Amino acid sequence: MSSPPALVAWQQKYAKDVVQTASDLTVAQRKLELAVVHVARANELLRRNEYDLALNSAENALVVSCDAVLRRDGFAARSHVARFAYPLLPTVLLQNAGLLRRIRTARNAAQYEASGVVTRTFAAQAIKLAEDAVVDVTRAVAAG
């Protein structure tokens, strides 16, 4: 069975960042459980007006959600860029590539440059995407 051209192109582009492994639905499920924890933390931090940290937790949920799909499909990635570029991610993630880049950029700025760079609105937007991603990734992993 041959791989879709987009998958082959992704593997070639990120050859140094991606390892092909056996599919592991148990690990994928654990990643999803961790994503749920990160989303809950993000919501709690948002309620406490900790917007930088809320965005950070939402981004963590998005990363491990991608990891769940990758593990389902027999891959592991060492790069966030490679994770978010995986062509077989659920539609909610593929259609929000620009927002994912903005979240990564803001997370990096908040973590490494200065606090207070994330607004409540943007943190809430990141959390909503993380919540939607968890729902869609849960369906994808359950479908095997």
Side-chain angles (χ1 to χ4, degrees):
M1 178 178 203
S2 65
S3 297
L7 180 58
V8 172
W10 174 79
Q11 285 180 281
Q12 290 172 345
K13 182 174 182 176
Y14 298 104
K16 292 181 180 179
D17 298 315
V18 174
V19 176
Q20 193 156 10
T21 64
S23 174
D24 193 330
L25 293 177
T26 301
V27 171
Q29 187 58 46
R30 273 192 255 139
K31 297 281 186 182
L32 274 170
E33 291 166 4
L34 181 56
V36 170
V37 170
H38 285 306
V39 168
R41 284 183 187 145
N43 277 308
E44 177 57 31
L45 289 162
L46 185 68
R47 281 189 289 281
R48 293 183 6 219
N49 300 322
E50 295 281 352
Y51 309 136
D52 293 353
L53 295 173
L55 180 104
N56 192 333
S57 289
E59 193 262 351
N60 287 340
L62 290 161
V63 168
V64 295
S65 292
C66 291
D67 283 345
V69 175
L70 287 164
R71 293 312 307 262
R72 174 202 71 182
D73 294 347
F75 294 101
R78 292 184 282 261
S79 156
H80 287 25
V81 174
R83 282 177 179 92
F84 290 135
Y86 184 58
L88 302 180
L89 291 174
T91 304
V92 69
L93 292 168
L94 294 175
Q95 289 179 342
N96 285 285
L99 177 56
L100 286 168
R101 280 190 297 278
R102 285 181 46 224
I103 290 167
R104 291 275 312 136
T105 300
R107 196 249 355 159
N108 286 342
Q111 188 165 345
Y112 302 117
E113 295 172 19
S115 64
V117 299
V118 178
T119 66
R120 178 180 189 76
T121 300
F122 191 53
Q125 189 178 14
I127 293 167
K128 173 71 169 116
L129 179 58
E131 290 169 339
D132 292 347
V134 167
V135 169
D136 284 1
V137 170
T138 299
R139 285 189 201 119
V141 169

